[in-house]
Amino acid sequence: MSRERTPLMAGNWKMNLNHLEGVAHVQRMAFALKGEDYDACEVVVLTPFTDLRSIQVLVEADKLRIGYGSQDISRHAQGAYTGEVSGAMLAKLGCSYAVVGHSERRQYHGETNVVINAKAKAALANGITPIICYGEALEIREAGDQVLFSLGQVAECLEGFTPEEASSVVLAYEPIWAIGTGLTASPTDAQEVCGATRGWLAEHFGSDVADQIRILYGGSMKASNVASLMAQPDIDGGLVGGASLDPDEFVAMARYRLAAG
Ligand code: 13P
């Protein structure tokens, strides 16, 4: 139950906010966030590829403490892969993070755990932290198989990783039935899977590595429920979709510690 892990609040904008809107959004966040907020919680936006250059310029020029990254990354290093964006290109834009294996990419783009594994490795090879998403669909939860299923996904996504590589990833438990539905997993349900995940990580990579890895929760997380989720011992942050599109709400989420009293 280590809180040495720095909490991470990451906004996944999905396919929303063009580069002009994105810049205004980050400026508004930066205006509201204070030094003590960044000290208490890492704040990151995960934007469309087309926003990244503008956000890099803003963050660097104004020395903002907001991190940024992409929502996907190519598993290939370079070459004839039309439409793909490589880890090297993202690193050149100063990206610290790349989401891999989001359920929307699994569902609409047929991404498998094998592909996600390769994308996570491509991120690491370029000094980018992959945020690896996993989580069950409603039928699996209704059958009571959420832990087994989720750990199976984690195992395949991290297949062949050394303990050192594993220690550099972020995991995001996002039960599919909770994404964009307004149905948030209860803190107990979210903790069940996140706690089991840390147990699995300890078995496979050792307890030191397991203690270092941050596990986020995602799925209808918002200002009104963030504190109770963050109070769970194995939830180290949030991967926030809809609520991250409102800069004031997202800032309030990054300040969950104040609501927690
Ligand atoms: P919502 O917060 O909109 O449910 O989305 C969660 C998500 O998919 C973040 O990656």
Side-chain angles (χ1 to χ4, degrees):
M1 222 242 252
S2 159
R3 271 295 172 179
E4 282 155 32
R5 298 182 291 272
T6 306
L8 169 60
M9 206 53 65
N12 175 8
W13 292 357
K14 307 192 179 184
M15 199 171 72
N16 296 289
L17 306 180
N18 65 34
H19 69 289
L20 297 173
E21 294 162 334
V23 163
H25 192 98
V26 170
Q27 279 172 325
R28 184 158 180 139
M29 284 169 53
F31 185 72
L33 286 162
K34 307 282 178 256
E36 61 261 32
D37 297 321
Y38 298 112
D39 292 342
C41 181
E42 192 179 344
V43 183
V44 165
V45 291
L46 302 158
T47 81
F49 288 128
T50 48
D51 295 16
L52 288 169
R53 174 65 178 162
S54 303
I55 288 173
Q56 177 193 30
V57 169
L58 171 66
V59 164
E60 289 185 359
D62 287 344
K63 300 189 173 40
L64 304 183
R65 290 174 68 186
I66 294 172
Y68 57 90
S70 63
Q71 300 167 13
D72 190 22
I73 182 171
S74 178
R75 79 191 108 147
H76 306 291
Q78 63 172 53
Y81 300 104
T82 301
E84 295 274 278
V85 177
S86 73
M89 292 169 178
L90 295 170
K92 197 81 179 158
L93 287 172
C95 290
S96 318
Y97 293 93
V99 178
V100 299
H102 193 279
S103 64
E104 288 148 18
R105 296 215 55 92
R106 293 175 184 264
Q107 184 180 352
Y108 305 129
H109 302 273
E111 289 193 12
T112 62
N113 292 325
V114 171
V115 169
I116 293 157
N117 178 293
K119 289 188 170 189
K121 285 196 173 142
L124 290 177
N126 288 284
I128 294 169
T129 300
I131 300 177
I132 303 173
C133 302
Y134 66 108
E136 81 286 352
L138 187 59
E139 317 79 76
I140 295 169
R141 175 158 287 266
E142 283 173 344
D145 291 334
Q146 64 274 8
V147 171
L148 199 67
F149 177 86
S150 297
L151 296 186
Q153 281 189 325
V154 171
E156 289 189 18
C157 291
L158 296 180
E159 173 77 39
F161 277 52
T162 63
E164 198 196 342
E165 286 170 332
S167 70
S168 304
V169 311
V170 169
L171 293 175
Y173 170 57
E174 297 209 310
I176 295 169
W177 49 271
I179 295 177
T181 58
L183 294 172
T184 316
S186 71
T188 313
D189 286 343
Q191 167 60 27
E192 179 195 33
V193 176
C194 295
T197 304
R198 199 171 314 280
W200 185 93
L201 292 168
E203 260 172 54
H204 289 79
F205 298 111
S207 56
D208 286 355
V209 169
D211 279 345
Q212 278 179 53
I213 297 179
R214 290 181 292 180
I215 304 175
L216 314 182
Y217 167 78
S220 300
M221 207 186 203
K222 43 190 181 279
S224 59
N225 60 29
V226 61
S228 58
L229 288 157
M230 291 301 292
Q232 301 303 310
D234 291 298
I235 298 178
D236 304 313
L239 186 55
V240 185
S244 76
L245 298 176
D246 175 342
D248 298 328
E249 169 132 22
F250 189 58
V251 164
M253 295 180 74
R255 290 189 176 134
Y256 70 90
R257 72 187 191 286
L258 303 179

